[in-house]
Amino acid sequence: MPEPVTLQLLREWGVPDADGSKKSRGQVVVVGGSRRSPGAPLLSAEAAMRVGAGRVGIAVPSAIAPQLGPAMPEAGIYELPVGSDPVDDALRSGLESADAVLLGPGFDDPDATRAALHSVSDAEVGRLVLDAFALGILPSFDRDLLPDDLLINANEEEAELLLGHDLGDDRAADIVEIARHYRAVVHCFGTVATPDGRCWQAEPGGSGLGTAGSGDVLSGAITGFAALGMDAERAAVWGGWTHARAGDRLQERVGIGFLARDLMPELTAVVHES
């Protein structure tokens, strides 16, 4: 049986001390984006900072890179290589110095996603979070090329793709199966599982979170906590909890119809009130 996630549990775990410089609060690099979805990595990057990460970089295709600097002046902007070309020195340095790298938000092409994942796996990335389109190629990607410290943020459809069958009545057992198969900490709709079979269950949040970009905010929050130095399972639990409670706060105040970017200040409020 999964352990229920409660406010008391989170307070016992705590969050890393936010004192110190931006360098001491963790660095995130978000890898993703496309012409159709240039804003997705922006949502993830801002969410990472809103939960406490000190610095963020965004690596995107060169066609959209010039747009992102003005859209998020707090972020460093990198250009992804074309096809199978290696990453340039600037991006490699950013990836290797990052405390957590998120790959997936905004990608919409399997070949481009696979190429980006190969490029990232060639760098010395310590902690990698996979989300969105990256999960579509994961079953056919060599797990041994990826970092040992791997997190997966899956929605229900993506979880079924990773399982190879529909989710059953025992949701926790299914998520544990994914965690064991991919040797990763897995978050799916409030359920968090580890490869050794530990599991937690939080309330996933209200229906207002069913809005475009909400998943990008969630993956960014998880990555932000991961960059702060939390154990992977705690980062996933904290990220899922914070995203869900941020949605609850908005839904209680304004009702259904808020935008994913409206969640941003609520993330910070939830962290400081927890």
Side-chain angles (χ1 to χ4, degrees), residues 23-45:
K23 293 182 179 180
S24 67
R25 298 214 325 266
Q27 179 174 338
V28 167
V29 174
V30 179
V31 182
S34 62
R35 287 183 181 273
R36 187 174 68 174
S37 300
L42 290 172
L43 290 170
S44 297

CSV table of all heavy atoms in Angstrom, one decimal, residues 23-45:
chain,number,residue,atom,x,y,z
A,23,LYS,N,23.6,30.4,-6.7
A,23,LYS,CA,24.4,29.2,-7.1
A,23,LYS,C,24.1,28.1,-6.1
A,23,LYS,O,24.1,26.9,-6.5
A,23,LYS,CB,25.9,29.5,-7.1
A,23,LYS,CG,26.3,30.5,-8.3
A,23,LYS,CD,27.7,30.7,-8.3
A,23,LYS,CE,28.1,31.6,-9.4
A,23,LYS,NZ,29.6,31.9,-9.5
A,24,SER,N,23.9,28.4,-4.8
A,24,SER,CA,23.7,27.4,-3.8
A,24,SER,C,22.3,26.8,-3.8
A,24,SER,O,22.0,25.8,-3.2
A,24,SER,CB,24.0,28.0,-2.4
A,24,SER,OG,23.0,29.0,-2.1
A,25,ARG,N,21.4,27.4,-4.6
A,25,ARG,CA,20.0,27.0,-4.6
A,25,ARG,C,19.7,26.1,-5.8
A,25,ARG,O,18.6,25.7,-6.1
A,25,ARG,CB,19.0,28.1,-4.6
A,25,ARG,CG,19.1,29.0,-3.3
A,25,ARG,CD,17.8,29.5,-2.9
A,25,ARG,NE,16.9,29.9,-4.0
A,25,ARG,CZ,16.8,31.1,-4.5
A,25,ARG,NH1,17.6,32.1,-4.0
A,25,ARG,NH2,16.0,31.4,-5.4
A,26,GLY,N,20.7,25.7,-6.6
A,26,GLY,CA,20.5,24.8,-7.7
A,26,GLY,C,20.3,25.4,-9.0
A,26,GLY,O,19.7,26.4,-9.2
A,27,GLN,N,20.9,24.7,-10.0
A,27,GLN,CA,20.8,25.1,-11.4
A,27,GLN,C,20.0,24.1,-12.2
A,27,GLN,O,20.3,22.9,-12.1
A,27,GLN,CB,22.2,25.3,-12.0
A,27,GLN,CG,22.2,25.7,-13.5
A,27,GLN,CD,23.5,26.1,-14.0
A,27,GLN,OE1,24.4,26.4,-13.2
A,27,GLN,NE2,23.7,26.0,-15.3
A,28,VAL,N,19.1,24.5,-13.1
A,28,VAL,CA,18.2,23.7,-13.9
A,28,VAL,C,18.5,24.0,-15.4
A,28,VAL,O,18.7,25.2,-15.7
A,28,VAL,CB,16.7,23.9,-13.6
A,28,VAL,CG1,15.8,23.3,-14.7
A,28,VAL,CG2,16.4,23.3,-12.2
A,29,VAL,N,18.5,23.0,-16.2
A,29,VAL,CA,18.5,23.3,-17.7
A,29,VAL,C,17.2,22.5,-18.2
A,29,VAL,O,17.1,21.3,-17.9
A,29,VAL,CB,19.7,22.8,-18.4
A,29,VAL,CG1,19.5,22.9,-19.9
A,29,VAL,CG2,20.9,23.6,-18.0
A,30,VAL,N,16.4,23.2,-18.9
A,30,VAL,CA,15.2,22.6,-19.6
A,30,VAL,C,15.5,22.5,-21.1
A,30,VAL,O,15.8,23.4,-21.7
A,30,VAL,CB,13.9,23.5,-19.4
A,30,VAL,CG1,12.7,22.9,-20.1
A,30,VAL,CG2,13.7,23.7,-17.9
A,31,VAL,N,15.3,21.3,-21.6
A,31,VAL,CA,15.6,21.0,-23.0
A,31,VAL,C,14.3,20.6,-23.7
A,31,VAL,O,13.6,19.7,-23.2
A,31,VAL,CB,16.6,19.8,-23.1
A,31,VAL,CG1,16.9,19.5,-24.6
A,31,VAL,CG2,17.8,20.1,-22.3
A,32,GLY,N,13.9,21.4,-24.7
A,32,GLY,CA,12.6,21.1,-25.3
A,32,GLY,C,12.3,22.2,-26.3
A,32,GLY,O,13.1,22.9,-26.9
A,33,GLY,N,10.9,22.3,-26.6
A,33,GLY,CA,10.5,23.4,-27.4
A,33,GLY,C,10.4,23.0,-28.9
A,33,GLY,O,11.1,22.1,-29.4
A,34,SER,N,9.5,23.7,-29.6
A,34,SER,CA,9.3,23.5,-31.1
A,34,SER,C,8.7,24.8,-31.6
A,34,SER,O,8.2,25.6,-30.8
A,34,SER,CB,8.5,22.3,-31.4
A,34,SER,OG,7.2,22.4,-30.8
A,35,ARG,N,8.5,24.9,-32.9
A,35,ARG,CA,7.8,26.0,-33.5
A,35,ARG,C,6.4,26.1,-33.0
A,35,ARG,O,5.8,27.1,-32.7
A,35,ARG,CB,7.8,26.0,-35.0
A,35,ARG,CG,9.2,26.3,-35.6
A,35,ARG,CD,9.1,26.3,-37.1
A,35,ARG,NE,10.3,26.6,-37.8
A,35,ARG,CZ,10.8,27.8,-38.1
A,35,ARG,NH1,10.0,28.9,-37.8
A,35,ARG,NH2,11.9,28.0,-38.7
A,36,ARG,N,5.8,24.9,-32.8
A,36,ARG,CA,4.4,24.8,-32.4
A,36,ARG,C,4.2,25.1,-30.9
A,36,ARG,O,3.2,25.6,-30.5
A,36,ARG,CB,3.8,23.5,-32.8
A,36,ARG,CG,2.3,23.4,-32.5
A,36,ARG,CD,1.7,22.1,-33.0
A,36,ARG,NE,2.2,20.9,-32.2
A,36,ARG,CZ,1.8,19.7,-32.3
A,36,ARG,NH1,0.9,19.4,-33.3
A,36,ARG,NH2,2.3,18.7,-31.6
A,37,SER,N,5.2,24.7,-30.1
A,37,SER,CA,5.1,24.9,-28.7
A,37,SER,C,6.3,25.5,-28.1
A,37,SER,O,7.0,24.9,-27.3
A,37,SER,CB,4.9,23.5,-28.0
A,37,SER,OG,3.7,22.9,-28.5
A,38,PRO,N,6.6,26.8,-28.4
A,38,PRO,CA,7.8,27.4,-27.9
A,38,PRO,C,7.7,27.8,-26.4
A,38,PRO,O,8.7,28.0,-25.7
A,38,PRO,CB,8.0,28.7,-28.8
A,38,PRO,CG,6.6,29.0,-29.2
A,38,PRO,CD,5.9,27.6,-29.4
A,39,GLY,N,6.4,27.9,-26.0
A,39,GLY,CA,6.2,28.3,-24.6
A,39,GLY,C,6.3,27.3,-23.5
A,39,GLY,O,6.5,27.6,-22.3
A,40,ALA,N,6.3,26.0,-24.0
A,40,ALA,CA,6.3,24.9,-23.0
A,40,ALA,C,7.6,24.9,-22.1
A,40,ALA,O,7.5,24.8,-20.9
A,40,ALA,CB,6.1,23.6,-23.7
A,41,PRO,N,8.8,25.0,-22.7
A,41,PRO,CA,10.0,25.1,-21.8
A,41,PRO,C,10.0,26.3,-21.0
A,41,PRO,O,10.6,26.3,-19.9
A,41,PRO,CB,11.1,25.0,-22.8
A,41,PRO,CG,10.6,25.4,-24.1
A,41,PRO,CD,9.2,25.0,-24.1
A,42,LEU,N,9.4,27.4,-21.4
A,42,LEU,CA,9.3,28.6,-20.5
A,42,LEU,C,8.5,28.3,-19.3
A,42,LEU,O,8.9,28.7,-18.2
A,42,LEU,CB,8.7,29.7,-21.3
A,42,LEU,CG,9.5,30.4,-22.5
A,42,LEU,CD1,8.6,31.4,-23.2
A,42,LEU,CD2,10.7,31.1,-21.9
A,43,LEU,N,7.4,27.6,-19.4
A,43,LEU,CA,6.6,27.3,-18.3
A,43,LEU,C,7.3,26.4,-17.3
A,43,LEU,O,7.3,26.6,-16.1
A,43,LEU,CB,5.3,26.6,-18.7
A,43,LEU,CG,4.2,27.4,-19.4
A,43,LEU,CD1,3.2,26.5,-20.0
A,43,LEU,CD2,3.6,28.5,-18.5
A,44,SER,N,8.0,25.4,-17.8
A,44,SER,CA,8.8,24.5,-16.9
A,44,SER,C,9.9,25.3,-16.2
A,44,SER,O,10.2,25.1,-15.1
A,44,SER,CB,9.4,23.4,-17.8
A,44,SER,OG,8.4,22.6,-18.3
A,45,ALA,N,10.6,26.1,-17.0
A,45,ALA,CA,11.7,26.9,-16.4
A,45,ALA,C,11.3,27.8,-15.3
A,45,ALA,O,11.9,27.9,-14.2
A,45,ALA,CB,12.5,27.7,-17.5
